Amino acid sequence: MSDDVTADVARIVATLPVADPDFLARVDEELPRLHGLFRTLYGDRDDSAERLASVVSLAARSWQERPPELKAHDHTREAEPTWFESERMLGGVCYVDRYAGGLRGIRDRIPYFQELGLTYLHLMPLFESPEGNSDGGYAVSSYRRVDPKLGTMAELKDLAADLREAGISLVVDFIFNHTSDEHEWARKAVTGDPRFDDFYLIYPDRTMPDAYERTTREIFPDDHPGSFVQLADGRWVWATFYHFQWDLNYANPAVFEAMAGEMLFLANQGVEVLRMDAVAFIWKRLGTPCESLPEAHLLLQAFNAVLRMAAPSLLFKSEAIVHPDEVSEYISPGECRLSYNPLQMALTWEALATRDGRMLQQALARRHALPAGTAWVNYVRSHDDIGWTFADEDAAELGIHGHSHRRFLNDFYVGRVDGSFAKGVPFQENPRTGDARIAGTTASLAGIETGDAGGEDRVVLAHALALSTGGIPLLYLGDEVAQLNDYAYLSDPAEAGDSRWVHRPRRVDGDVDRADASTPAGRVFARLSRLIDVRRATPEFAGNELIPFDAHVDAIVAFLRPGADGGVLVLANVSDHAASVDAVTLSGLASDTEDLVEGRRVSLHDGLEVAAHAVLWLRVTHRT
Ligand code: GLC
């Protein structure tokens, strides 16, 4: 540490209201890092030093207020810092209202979550937000008040404690790129309150918006073109997503401080993972796409440092649905320990459509590895659309043209292609650029809605991959009972313009269906439950290490999750026909293996046939 940093750090520490040695040790550890980040981000501003000091004192107050049970939990996690890499991890995600009516309803579902094996529960945005369209709650009007239709902050805190007791970590969104236009800060910014002047990016005319828009992408073109919307008084405000979601101006350190306060508040309610929403967009610079800029990473690192001081067990999960090179840049212990894996998700669907596993196989070989102490969150689908975020350069190596392949996949999943089994709906189709993404539930996209014979198998196959490649598998609750698309959104004016509502159905009471093996719901539930049970009992599925296995068959995706003298060999046939792996390809393995899902011995002596849409989890040993 240079002398001036040491002096600054000492000055800040001297003013802290906390004498707790644990906290002070963490400040010693983190403050030099935060100091450096502030210098890079805000060094050219007069208020930089003062803001840094007040952020640290905010962290100190937050630590003082942190409930003893959460401090105890911090210690537990400290003793086992890679807890989230366990083979016992399983995530679930749902909307509070659609799944259970409210927070109390969620609490009542805890026994079901335990039956399913959940250890992580992501509740979709539950904060106060505008009436009507609020982008499913992603337009937040207050980070400190729960939407009264769902419950109260006190109930959320109690729920977090009950979940913790049940071995389930509560995950909520940290929607920090933007607020709703009804947030107090937004209202004050518009009415000219000097404290909030600089909280958003508001311009008097089109000069700056035009300049920025020369290089930015349109994210929600159905809502508005470009990145800005006009205010009633004629000025323009930056709104990447919906017109009522205004991007915060992180070039102003007061915004960092304010949002750090909201983050620490949530941490002290008992939230264990914050899903960092829309991370790619948080920093803007003229002449760039304003996505994934270096400062976006510095900001996340700065939030991370604050968190380490005042809520050390909390983790960040990155939501970066961008080029795979950029996705991985957000993942490190100093930034986000967890990240969605949008590439594996998209390529699972790509493989099912093309009946060809090569792109997915290539991604597993090339883009799966992660730094120690971090993990993927592997999902089959989320509440959002499916975007084809593979790298064109990867596709080109396989002779695939990225742009036309994306068009094919979009056409395939909305059923415009012969041989399609899918019943998807386009999302944000942009006639100008030809871009689109896909909405639909897993069951509907996989073919159950169209009555395709392979539909159920594909649902199981997609989940079997998410459950076996490592990290935290994440289940969209309702998919385990094969819920179909819900077209009711078309008759609700607040939802009709956003086709993602098609795949956010209300929960039907699965208790009836899921026990009935004569229904798709019952069969899918039984098969997924079996996979989940097996995963939990298979230590090879912990962590992220994966060795690609070349089955020499395009239809088969294969990899080894290594274990003591072999491991678990996963083989997935994404096509509609049986495919065989020959004996020579398997000759490095002892011929006697165990199929973990079926619980039977399988011989590799004469090669192996994998049925259409089947996934095998074979415990294998290397031939000696
Ligand atoms: C994220 C959310 C998405 C939302 C957007 C804007 O991408 O997943 O649902 O529309 O952020 O907050």
Side-chain angles (χ1 to χ4, degrees), residues 84-86 316-318 331-332 336-341 370-378 470-472 543-544:
F84 53 85
E85 294 181 15
S86 159
F316 284 161
K317 175 174 78 158
S318 151
I331 312 171
S332 68
C336 299
R337 280 192 182 264
L338 306 176
S339 167
Y340 280 113
N341 189 349
L370 285 180
T374 66
W376 289 117
V377 173
N378 283 310
I472 304 177
N544 194 51

Side-chain angles (χ1 to χ4, degrees), residues 135 138 178 220 241 245 275 277 319 383-384 500:
D135 188 18
Y138 280 97
H178 45 264
F220 279 3
F241 297 94
Q245 286 162 307
R275 173 192 179 278
D277 185 59
E319 191 244 352
H383 69 288
D384 279 333
R500 292 173 300 176

Side-chain angles (χ1 to χ4, degrees), residues 128-193:
E128 200 174 86
S129 57
E131 243 341 279
N133 187 1
S134 64
D135 188 18
Y138 280 97
V140 176
S141 302
S142 164
Y143 298 89
R144 301 200 181 213
R145 280 194 299 272
V146 167
D147 177 345
K149 291 194 287 300
L150 307 179
T152 63
M153 194 51 83
E155 281 169 359
L156 184 67
K157 199 169 180 173
D158 289 348
L159 176 65
D162 291 342
L163 288 169
R164 212 167 37 251
E165 181 72 34
I168 302 172
S169 301
L170 176 63
V171 184
V172 303
D173 285 82
F174 189 50
I175 301 152
F176 69 123
N177 174 68
H178 45 264
T179 72
S180 92
D181 58 354
E182 294 183 5
H183 193 288
E184 189 194 351
W185 305 338
R187 292 181 197 267
K188 290 192 168 158
V190 166
T191 53
D193 183 327

Side-chain angles (χ1 to χ4, degrees), residues 55-115:
V55 166
V56 181
S57 97
L58 181 76
R61 286 196 305 280
S62 176
W63 177 251
Q64 268 178 326
E65 288 159 14
R66 190 158 171 82
E69 61 277 15
L70 294 182
K71 289 184 175 174
H73 199 60
D74 290 332
H75 276 299
T76 311
R77 294 303 196 207
E78 218 166 35
E80 203 198 336
T82 53
W83 60 276
F84 53 85
E85 294 181 15
S86 159
E87 69 278 14
R88 303 185 70 79
M89 288 299 294
L90 175 69
V93 53
C94 64
Y95 283 89
V96 174
D97 54 343
R98 302 192 151 229
Y99 188 74
L103 291 175
R104 289 206 193 133
I106 294 283
R107 193 186 198 167
D108 295 342
R109 296 294 288 171
I110 291 178
Y112 174 68
F113 298 151
Q114 287 182 296
E115 179 195 329

Side-chain angles (χ1 to χ4, degrees), residues 37 40-41 256 293-303 335:
L37 291 163
T40 315
L41 287 165
F256 179 86
L293 294 178
E295 290 86 349
H297 295 283
L298 303 182
L299 268 175
L300 281 163
Q301 289 162 25
F303 278 121
E335 209 165 315

